[in-house]
Amino acid sequence: MKEFKNIPDVKLGIIAVSRDCFVISLSEKRRAAIAKVFNGKGELYEAKTTVENECDMLKAVEEVKSAGCNALVVFLGNFGPETPETEIAQYFDGPCMFVAAAEETDKDLINGRGDAYCGMLNCSYNLNLRKIPGIIPEYPVGTSDDIAQMIEEFIPVARAIIGLKSLKIITFGPRPQDFFACNAPIKGLYDIGVEIQENSELDLLVAYRAHKDDKRIPEVVADMEKELGAGNQFPDLLPRMAQFEITLLDWIEENKGSRKYVVLADKCWPAFPKEFGFEPCYVNSRLGSRGIPVACEVDIFGALSEYIGTCISGEPVTLLDINNSVPADMYENKIKGKFAYPYTLQDTFMAFHCGNTPLCRLNPQSKPGVKYQLIQNRILEDGGTPDFTRGTLEGDIAPGQITFFRLQTTPDTKLQAYIAQGEILPVPTCSFGGIGVFAIPEMGRFYRHVLIGKQYPHHGAVAFGHHGKALWTLFKYLGIPDVAYNQPKSERYPDENPF
């Protein structure tokens, strides 16, 4: 099977700028030092054109474009020329980060002083004056080592920005009844440059049937068998799911149109399992492991959030229900006092979905495998021997650091987001589905005053690792006015009862 490349590669360039009343060689020397440090960590194209004026700006931008750069570091090696340095971001079609040089030594503070600390202030003013988006790190002034670190942190943000500009979300709906929280208006997608193509569940069924006896099915079945190992509990089901996987991949290729990257949001109940003959969860998990997230229950902004997490982390993510509280006896016996952070019961919860989490994110000790959707089996098969309700990928999610987040449109089409860092605890869930015991500091207050208080849906994207810093930078770059987080005890939420 063809492997999809569904997130962009970032090719970085660096352009140094110099105010004409400063020695240009100072900026160039400092640029070369950054390139030397960073080139031990990754590829960085060093533009030889140093920008003092607008003509230099045009030449430098053309130079980095010709070199294939799709993201830029604009480096104030000294004070810098306000107009051309900000026009770089205007003329370059890609994300730009602005950083400035720190002074190196008290032995050279006459001819060797660059005043970039001062120049960054004027740079930020001019970016805002011209309505040009630019990324400025939390503390944007540093030595070559400091700036090399800033560049490393810029890469995942740049990857997400580039990816979103060429993203299409393909849906198969309509969205389920009584899941109004997932039925967010799609205007916000256009506000950030994302395209959407909405199709019906019937369109997908017709395409699926057209793939009957596709010659690629045996190859996909063999790959599924290899991946599942002992978790292959229903071998007879694999050809149906392989046919569906091929259907989705072909649909992506035939419908991406002008866009480079695609994610999916499909409907999985109530009609799907009976008509298709299986639950789509395992196939969705396989696509997610290849960087093509598939959001459950036609959750369009869930799919968007998953793609953002994939770009930021560079690894597979998942979408989960913020599902149920942790029982008090589980907390007392298996959590309280057993971890470095003193989690309270309200800091913990269980996040779940039927079986969409990639196998690589499940704990092998829980013996993950393809099972059946217990709830749908009760409803659609009267709790009998499962047939078409089979197809979920179930197991406990592997412990480790996570970032729970979501970008969402409110009913009146305003974009908002939340980010919360925490961990999945190494605690057996004693339950079904793809599920884990999560812990986030001050989760109880965050749950009440952000998730409930700001009317977020029950679905949240999960990136594995702590990626809050990059997500925050991305959301601010996108102009999201309200980015919430799990505030510490010392910070009261605006609507929190002070008593």
Side-chain angles (χ1 to χ4, degrees):
M1 290 296 293
K2 179 182 176 182
E3 290 296 330
F4 277 70
K5 180 67 177 174
N6 204 43
I7 60 174
D9 291 319
V10 176
K11 183 167 183 182
L12 281 169
I14 183 169
I15 295 176
V17 302
S18 175
R19 200 172 190 89
D20 57 8
C21 57
F22 284 80
V23 179
I24 192 172
S25 60
L26 178 63
S27 193
E28 293 173 334
K29 179 187 73 172
R30 289 172 168 177
R31 178 196 68 208
I34 294 168
K36 183 178 179 181
V37 172
F38 188 79
N39 280 331
K41 303 177 180 182
E43 184 181 358
L44 178 66
Y45 176 78
E46 184 183 357
K48 300 307 179 185
T49 304
T50 302
V51 173
E52 288 186 311
N53 54 54
E54 289 185 67
C55 292
D56 293 337
M57 178 274 297
L58 292 172
K59 183 180 178 182
V61 169
E62 185 57 36
E63 181 184 346
V64 293
K65 284 183 178 179
S66 297
C69 297
N70 57 8
L72 269 187
V73 178
V74 180
F75 172 59
L76 280 65
N78 58 40
F79 191 101
E82 300 164 26
T83 296
E85 73 190 10
T86 50
E87 285 182 326
I88 291 172
Q90 188 173 23
Y91 282 78
F92 180 75
D93 185 24
C96 295
M97 178 175 71
F98 289 80
V99 293
E103 313 299 358
E104 290 105 341
T105 173
D106 63 2
K107 298 177 178 61
D108 192 16
L109 283 176
I110 299 178
N111 292 327
R113 197 188 80 192
D115 298 357
Y117 189 88
C118 183
M120 181 56 74
L121 298 173
N122 290 19
C123 176
S124 66
Y125 179 84
N126 274 264
L127 286 170
N128 184 62
L129 183 68
R130 299 167 185 274
K131 304 299 181 186
I132 300 171
I135 290 173
I136 299 177
E138 288 299 303
Y139 184 72
V141 182
T143 64
S144 56
D145 289 321
D146 297 330
I147 291 174
Q149 179 63 38
M150 296 177 205
I151 296 172
E152 282 191 271
E153 294 177 354
F154 173 53
I155 291 172
V157 179
R159 187 164 54 226
I161 294 168
I162 297 165
L164 289 174
K165 286 178 66 176
S166 291
L167 178 66
K168 177 182 280 188
I169 300 175
I170 294 178
T171 74
F172 300 98
R175 284 163 269 182
Q177 176 64 15
D178 288 338
F179 269 59
F180 295 116
C182 291
N183 291 356
I186 62 173
K187 179 184 178 297
L189 299 177
Y190 299 113
D191 291 342
I192 59 174
V194 173
E195 188 57 67
I196 183 167
Q197 175 186 312
E198 296 186 274
N199 311 278
S200 77
E201 198 172 16
L202 182 58
D203 293 329
L204 184 58
L205 182 59
V206 170
Y208 173 71
R209 288 174 175 170
H211 283 78
K212 187 177 187 299
D213 300 322
D214 190 292
K215 63 183 180 181
R216 296 168 290 177
I217 289 174
E219 182 183 352
V220 178
V221 168
D223 189 59
M224 290 176 167
E225 290 172 339
K226 181 179 178 181
E227 179 184 49
L228 288 169
N232 183 14
Q233 298 189 20
F234 304 115
D236 65 297
L237 192 64
L238 298 190
R240 304 182 209 174
M241 295 192 291
Q243 180 180 335
F244 184 59
E245 181 173 310
I246 293 167
T247 302
L248 290 178
L249 293 176
D250 283 354
W251 192 288
I252 289 171
E253 273 298 285
E254 293 162 7
N255 289 272
K256 64 171 54 174
S258 62
R259 298 299 171 121
K260 295 180 181 179
Y261 314 112
V262 172
V263 296
L264 304 173
D266 63 15
K267 192 172 183 181
C268 43
W269 63 270
F272 185 101
K274 186 174 182 180
E275 296 305 315
F276 284 79
F278 56 91
E279 297 283 0
C281 309
Y282 174 53
V283 173
N284 293 353
S285 80
R286 280 173 55 85
L287 267 62
S289 70
R290 295 161 64 174
I292 311 170
V294 185
C296 311
E297 294 154 330
V298 205
D299 180 4
I300 292 171
F301 283 91
L304 174 67
S305 299
E306 284 189 277
Y307 184 71
I308 288 170
T310 302
C311 286
I312 290 288
S313 68
E315 297 180 350
V317 300
T318 192
L319 186 76
L320 299 174
D321 288 354
I322 302 165
N323 200 67
N324 58 279
S325 60
V326 169
D329 58 348
M330 177 184 283
Y331 171 76
E332 290 291 336
N333 297 330
K334 300 175 182 177
I335 299 174
K336 185 177 181 179
K338 298 184 184 298
F339 299 96
Y341 187 90
Y343 294 117
T344 68
L345 176 60
Q346 290 187 5
D347 291 334
T348 64
F349 65 102
M350 297 176 80
F352 152 94
H353 234 291
C354 311
N356 61 311
T357 299
L359 186 62
C360 61
R361 294 303 186 192
L362 300 182
N363 189 343
Q365 295 180 1
S366 67
K367 299 181 179 179
V370 173
K371 300 182 182 179
Y372 67 96
Q373 219 294 339
L374 178 63
I375 299 168
Q376 295 298 313
N377 176 256
R378 291 173 187 157
I379 297 171
L380 301 176
E381 297 181 311
D382 296 322
T385 302
D387 176 22
F388 56 78
T389 57
R390 297 177 297 165
T392 56
L393 179 65
E394 303 194 21
D396 286 359
I397 304 174
Q401 293 182 337
I402 57 91
T403 307
F404 227 111
F405 68 100
R406 186 176 178 93
L407 178 60
Q408 171 80 13
T409 295
T410 62
D412 57 352
T413 75
K414 293 183 175 65
L415 284 164
Q416 60 179 13
Y418 69 76
I419 308 166
Q421 293 186 157
E423 63 178 311
I424 300 171
L425 301 177
V427 175
T429 64
C430 309
S431 193
F432 66 95
I435 189 168
V437 177
F438 285 66
I440 293 175
E442 297 300 312
M443 177 63 189
R445 296 170 58 240
F446 177 74
Y447 174 75
R448 174 60 186 87
H449 299 289
V450 174
L451 300 181
I452 292 176
K454 298 186 177 184
Q455 296 83 52
Y456 279 100
H458 59 297
H459 287 179
V462 178
F464 295 87
H466 282 172
H467 302 286
K469 185 175 183 179
L471 286 165
W472 181 276
T473 302
L474 173 67
F475 291 152
K476 289 301 180 182
Y477 177 91
L478 294 175
I480 311 304
D482 179 4
V483 184
Y485 62 95
N486 53 318
Q487 296 180 186
K489 290 180 180 179
S490 58
E491 296 181 30
R492 190 173 72 86
Y493 292 98
D495 62 340
E496 188 171 5
N497 190 327
F499 300 101

